[in-house]
Structure formats: C-alpha cells, structure tokens
Amino acid sequence: MSNTIDFDERTAKAVEAMYLTPDVVAQRAEVIKALAPKPGEHLLDIGAGPGLLAYDLARLAGENGRVLGIDTSEPMVKMARTRCAALPQAEFEVGDAVKLAGVEGAFDAAVSTQVYEYVADMDGALKALHRVLRPGGRALILDTDWDSIVWHASDRRLMQRVLHCWDDHLADPHLPATLAVKLRRAGFTLMRMDVVPMTSLGYQPHSYAAGMMHGILGFVRANGERHGLSADEIQTWYDDQLHLAERGEFFFSLNRYMFLAVKPV
Ligand SMILES: C[S@@+](CC[C@H](N)C(=O)[O-])C[C@H]1O[C@@H](n2cnc3c(N)ncnc32)[C@H](O)[C@@H]1O
C-alpha cells in the first residue's frame, strides 16, 4: 500500500538540502547533458520541487526561452519561485502531472525527475505529457528503482524490513522496470536509457545517502507500526548505520534510471 509523502514546508526544505549534495548536483548535470536544452526552447519541468533543475534549464533556455515548472506542493512552488526570481523566463504553478493544463504541443521538451514514482495513474500522466509536447519534442524521465539498493547493515533482515516499509512512500517503488513499456504504449519512441548511480563508500554527512538515512528514519518512525517494526528496532537500525559510519564501514548504492523519449513527428 502506498502512503506517499506530504511535501509540506519541512519536507520541501529537507528535499532541497538533499538535492544540493554533490551526488544530486552530478545527477542534474547528467540530466541536462541528455536533454540538451537549447536557447529559445520552451521547457516543462513536471514536479519541479525546489526548482534546482528549472533554474539550470532557465539559464540555458535564455531570455528568449521559457521554463514552466509545475508541482502539486505549494511550499515547493514557493521555493522554486524564490530560487528563480531573477530569471523572468522561469515560471511556476501549482499543478498535477496527470492533468497538465496547457496548450497541446506547447513544449519542445519536458523533464520529470524523481516524480512519476509518486504518481498512481502513470498512463494518465504519460498521456498528458504526450499531449503537451510538440511532435519531435523530447521527454526526459528519471526515477529510482528500489530493487537496486545495496546498503550494508549488520542485520540484513532488519534492513529489508525497514526498506519494505519505506517502499510505502511511493506509488511505484519499481517504476523504471516498466517505464519503457509504458512510454511506448503512450506513443513515445524511446531514444536511450542510462543508469545514474548514487553511491557512498564511507559516510559523508553532506551526501544523498545521509539524507536518505534521515528521511527513512522519520518515515519509518511514523509508519513502521503497520509493518510490525517497533521503535526499538527502528532505533537499532539507525544506530547500526552510525556505528558502521564511525568504523568506516558504511556502504550505500542505489540506482536511478534516466529515460529519453521522443514524441514522433
Ligand atoms: C523528490 S521531489 C523531486 C523534485 C524535483 N523534480 C527534483 O528532481 O529536484 C518530488 C516532487 O514531486 C512532486 N509531485 C509529487 N506528485 C506529483 C504530481 N502528481 N504532480 C506534480 N508534482 C508532483 C512533489 O510535490 C515534489 O516536489
């Protein structure tokens, strides 16, 4: 059962901090390289979150281009507007990936990173994406598959139970495995798929892995009971990670999958 996260003000700040780590900065560079935005293009960022990617896209699209970021979370939209205040070509609106108000064929390209895994109606979301792109328009989608996690723990069974509970924060924790099929069904041509790994060999406080550790702790504390996880077990899981970190034995590796597709002409 999915019990997706409420992207309120506190969570928005936590996401912003995690997405400013070098791991996610490097991920954004990969996304921009694959999307290759050009000056003057009209770009859509679906689930723009704190606006970090939209900021980079707006600078690349330039004053004659346009970037529209939409997000269901008002605190995220507010944060993105503040971040991009000096870039008049960037605008942000509250909106839903499944509804995507807007003119048919209005965008040269669209991105959606770490968003569709939260969306229950993926066929509806891809239909909306297809509609707002012009023929020949590019769609870049990046999501995590939680089957790809390799995370060292002294008690592997406890780690599995914690991660099983964490799966509840998404509508589909394994979206990448079926995304190519869904894209084709929605009328897209798949151009390429790349793996973007997030790895930590050793613990760094300012890292994606550290952010995940704290995010998972908060979520599992609030939702662990449904999975039979006691407060003591959750604390044991967390303390183990701290001990492994102290001993230089921390290891975290998780894959994100980046799909570039085109709406045929
Ligand atoms: C993990 S954040 C990713 C933010 C941003 N795409 C990035 O990579 O920096 C997920 C974002 O998706 C948004 N979101 C979730 N479901 C959505 C939906 N149905 N439509 C639009 N945005 C959605 C959330 O509000 C949140 O800002």
Side-chain angles (χ1 to χ4, degrees), residues 4-8 11-12 15-16 18-19 24 27-28 31 45-54 70-77 93-100 111-120 125 142 169-170 256:
T4 56
I5 286 176
D6 176 13
F7 288 95
D8 56 14
T11 307
V15 170
E16 181 186 44
M18 194 162 40
Y19 282 27
V24 189
Q27 173 200 292
R28 273 195 296 282
V31 167
D45 187 350
I46 300 165
L52 292 157
L53 178 59
I70 64 121
D71 202 291
T72 40
S73 153
E74 277 189 31
M76 287 293 201
V77 168
E93 288 171 7
V94 172
D96 192 315
V98 180
K99 295 180 188 134
L100 289 189
V111 284
S112 192
T113 60
Q114 291 294 120
V115 177
Y116 283 139
E117 57 197 46
Y118 293 94
V119 175
L142 176 138
H169 88 287
L170 296 173
R256 289 172 165 189

